[in-house]
């Protein structure tokens, strides 16, 4: 249009010049004719100008009509798009919305309302200035919400004008597809393995008829439970099953806390020993093979944690359910003899041996490590014990070591242990099985040959690819396990006084002076150590406390808070050996009548907060500590908390402990 107007403007100028020239020529020949021509030109010009103006006005009116129609059509289309649209300001206030948004939302918004009222989870500060999308459920509908930032600076007029920025949200109703996806996920197959974990103990001494009847009751309980969820189950060994259910069925089992565990547990037995089962289930893996492998791994985890529980993988997340039954001690020592022989063979193939416990060693950890070192010396191997920063336990024991060759350099730092590790080094990890909790993590990571000896219930983050694992949750302590291995080691081992006393101290500290979780094998191990020269005066010396620590512990006990049959207190900051003092205080708290579990919090050297937890046995504090990222045993456990104050840590421990207590009461009520 502008090009045409320019063309016609140039043409008019040229024509005007030509007319003037012609009029001048005519005037030179005949001025009357020139005057007449001039009048004719003026009249013609005025007439044509009026016609052109009228035509232009008509054309402008036509264009305005077309533009107005387009605007009305676009506004109508915008208001009635099948997608809801809303525009908000930086305060999440609703500034504009179309009719579809009004119809989809549960209530009619006005311009004073905020979008948070419709999307409670909206964090505007996280997405302001960005573009993207998220999924949201509002009432019974699912939406894919696309958001775009409208930068006000792009529309500024005068330099001093203030133009706000906005965000536009587009709501796409994906309810139908989401419901179909949820239905498909609910029907996805879930594989599991199930094992009767104590059938030998329950049926020992029964007649064939009694054995068959008991096995049939357990089998019927298992098959009926799986059938109840329209699942598939097959018995592929005398005590083992494989089953397949839907993910929806798994969610129902989790919601009810796996009632099958209680059903089997409540089956009456003639020996008064409750039958228990262990379950490993996996869902959400990428392939069927991977899902099956995770289910098998889950079963091993459940068995390693003492049985009577279900281990469930949902994707990468692992959770445990059940685990209320105390691990039953086995009177047979066949496994101890087999493991001792296997350790001898592994030591024979090694050039040197490194032993380590958990960081901030207690007497059970260092005692078990010294016992394994004695086995290595008997096998003729160079051996060192890697220890973390010197604690009271290590300092008192190291002061007692004789100066004979081999003992003066027995204890080494984690850095030195890393230098000693070669491809043929055999590394023993005692009283711990989590790689992030060992005294020398870099040495462990460097080692290719590893052995784990522990009495704690198995956690999900186990040391990778150990050559040998000796995990006995029913045992009182790692020192007890090592003492039994020493007795069955191929070569006779003669323990000196310090070694025997260190192992004896390890048993004493974890059994609370032979009061907690002791069995006949515990006393047999203690008897062997006494015959080997364990000196009770040395043990008493190891457990002696200073006058200041007694006063401080009394203050911690006085400051303890009681809640729901449990007690919690804190250790003042800046106290040396706070972990040992806290553990002793936790032990003392559960000796008080009416206290079922105790928790003592203390400050770690790296700024974190440690938790020492103890229980009488009815409450499984291992589950409490696992929920906080720690672990341990049913009656002795701990955790390390970070990025929180002491007050926040106390509230976190209390909250989890109350939740576990409520869960335990709910299970008891269901039974």
């Amino acid at each position: 249009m502008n090009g045409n107007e320019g063309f016609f403007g140039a043409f008019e100028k040229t024509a005007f010049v030509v007319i003037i020239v012609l009029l001048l020529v005519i005037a030179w020949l005949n001025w009357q004719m020139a005057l007449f021509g001039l009048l004719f030109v003026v009249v013609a010009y005025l007439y044509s100008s009026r016609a052109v103006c009228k035509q232009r006005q008509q054309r402008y009116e036509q264009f305005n009509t077309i533009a107005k129609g387009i605007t009305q059509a676009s506004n109508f289309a915008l208001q009635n798009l099948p997608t809801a649209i809303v525009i908000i300001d930086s305060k999440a206030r609703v500034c504009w919305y179309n009719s579809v948004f009004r119809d989809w939302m549960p209530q009619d918004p006005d311009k004073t309302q905020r979008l948070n009222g419709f999307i409670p989870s909206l964090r505007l500060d996280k997405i302001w200035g960005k573009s993207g999308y998220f999924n949201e459920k509002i009432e019974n509908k699912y939406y894919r919400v696309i958001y775009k930032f409208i930068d006000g600076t792009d529309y500024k007029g005068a330099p001093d004008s203030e133009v706000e920025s906005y965000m536009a949200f587009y709501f796409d109703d994906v309810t139908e597809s989401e419901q179909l996806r949820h239905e498909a996920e609910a029907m996805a197959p879930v594989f599991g393995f199930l094992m009767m974990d104590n059938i030998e103990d329950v049926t020992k001494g029964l007649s064939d008829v009694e054995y068959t009847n008991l096995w049939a009751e357990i089998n019927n309980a298992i098959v009926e439970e799986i059938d109840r969820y329209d699942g598939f189950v097959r018995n592929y060994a005398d005590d083992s099953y494989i089953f397949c259910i839907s993910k929806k069925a798994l969610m129902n089992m989790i919601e009810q806390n796996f009632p099958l565990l209680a059903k089997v547990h409540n089956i009456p037995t003639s020996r008064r020993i409750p039958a228990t089962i262990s379950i490993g289930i996996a869902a959400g893996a990428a392939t069927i093979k991977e899902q099956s492998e995770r289910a098998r791994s889950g079963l091993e985890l459940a068995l390693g944690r003492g049985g009577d529980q279900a281990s469930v993988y949902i994707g990468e997340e692992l959770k445990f359910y059940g685990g209320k039954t105390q691990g039953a001690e086995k009177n047979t020592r066949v496994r101890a003899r087999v493991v001792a022989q296997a350790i001898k063979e592994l030591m024979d193939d090694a050039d040197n041996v490194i032993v380590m416990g958990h960081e901030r060693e207690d007497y059970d950890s260092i005692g078990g490590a010294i016992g394994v070192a004695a086995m290595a010396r008997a096998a003729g191997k160079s051996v060192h014990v890697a220890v973390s920063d010197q604690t009271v336990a290590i300092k008192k024991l190291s002061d007692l070591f004789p100066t004979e060759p081999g003992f003066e350099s027995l204890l080494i730092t984690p850095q030195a242990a890393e230098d000693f590790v070669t491809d043929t080094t055999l590394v023993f990890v005692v009283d711990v099985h989590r790689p992030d909790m060992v005294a020398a993590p870099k040495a462990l990571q460097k080692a290719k040959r590893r052995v784990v000896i522990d009495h704690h219930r198995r956690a999900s983050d186990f040391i990778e690819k150990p050559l040998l694992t000796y995990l006995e949750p029913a045992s009182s302590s790692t020192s007890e396990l090592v003492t039994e291995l020493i007795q069955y080691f191929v070569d006779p081992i003669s323990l000196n006084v310090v070694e025997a006393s260190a192992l004896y101290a390890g048993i004493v500290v974890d059994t609370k002076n032979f009061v907690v979780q002791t069995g006949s094998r515990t006393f047999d191990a203690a008897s062997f150590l006494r015959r080997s020269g364990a000196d009770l005066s040395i043990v008493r010396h190891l457990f002696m406390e200073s006058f200041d620590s007694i006063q401080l512990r009394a203050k911690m006990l006085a400051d303890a808070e009681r809640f729901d049959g449990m007690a919690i207190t804190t250790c003042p900051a800046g106290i040396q050996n706070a972990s040992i003092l806290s553990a002793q205080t936790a032990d003392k708290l559960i000796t008080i009548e009416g206290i079922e579990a105790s928790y003592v919090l203390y400050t770690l050297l790296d700024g974190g907060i440690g938790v020492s937890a103890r229980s009488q046995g009815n409450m499984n504090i291992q589950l409490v500590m696992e929920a906080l990222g720690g672990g341990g045993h049913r009656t002795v456990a701990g955790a390390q908390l970070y990025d929180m104050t002491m007050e926040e840590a106390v509230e976190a421990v209390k909250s989890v402990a109350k939740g576990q207590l409520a869960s335990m009461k709910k299970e008891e009520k269901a039974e």
Side-chain angles (χ1 to χ4, degrees), residues 9 48 205 341 369 502 506 632 636 641 663:
S48 63
Q341 293 174 352
V636 180
L641 309 178
S663 177

Side-chain angles (χ1 to χ4, degrees), residues 357-362 365 387-389 391 432 436-441 604 606 640 642:
H358 54 74
E359 58 181 350
R360 288 184 286 275
E361 294 85 352
D362 57 14
S365 176
V387 294
S388 57
D389 296 336
T391 63
V432 65
D436 59 334
M437 295 180 65
V438 299
L604 300 172
D606 57 4
Q640 296 178 7
Y642 291 92

Side-chain angles (χ1 to χ4, degrees), residues 463-477:
I463 292 173
E464 292 185 357
K465 299 178 181 178
L467 297 176
L468 179 65
T469 299
Y470 188 31
L471 197 68
E472 289 289 342
S475 181
S476 70
S477 59

Side-chain angles (χ1 to χ4, degrees), residues 76-104:
F76 179 83
L78 188 63
Q79 284 288 344
N80 296 276
L81 276 175
T83 299
I85 305 175
V86 61
I87 297 177
I88 63 171
D89 61 13
S90 59
K91 302 298 183 181
R93 290 189 293 258
V94 175
C95 301
W96 180 90
Y97 55 89
N98 66 355
S99 59
V100 180
F101 179 80
R102 182 188 63 240
D103 295 339
W104 279 5

Side-chain angles (χ1 to χ4, degrees), residues 521-536:
R521 291 172 63 174
T522 307
F523 291 103
D524 289 343
S527 177
F528 169 78
L529 293 173
R530 288 286 285 133
R531 292 195 303 271
S532 299
D535 191 341
L536 295 185

Side-chain angles (χ1 to χ4, degrees), residues 140-160:
N140 296 322
K141 288 185 174 290
Y142 295 90
Y143 297 94
R144 178 184 174 92
V145 184
I146 301 172
Y147 55 88
K148 292 185 178 295
F149 180 64
I150 305 174
D151 192 353
T153 58
D154 295 341
Y155 304 97
K156 285 186 178 180
D160 296 334

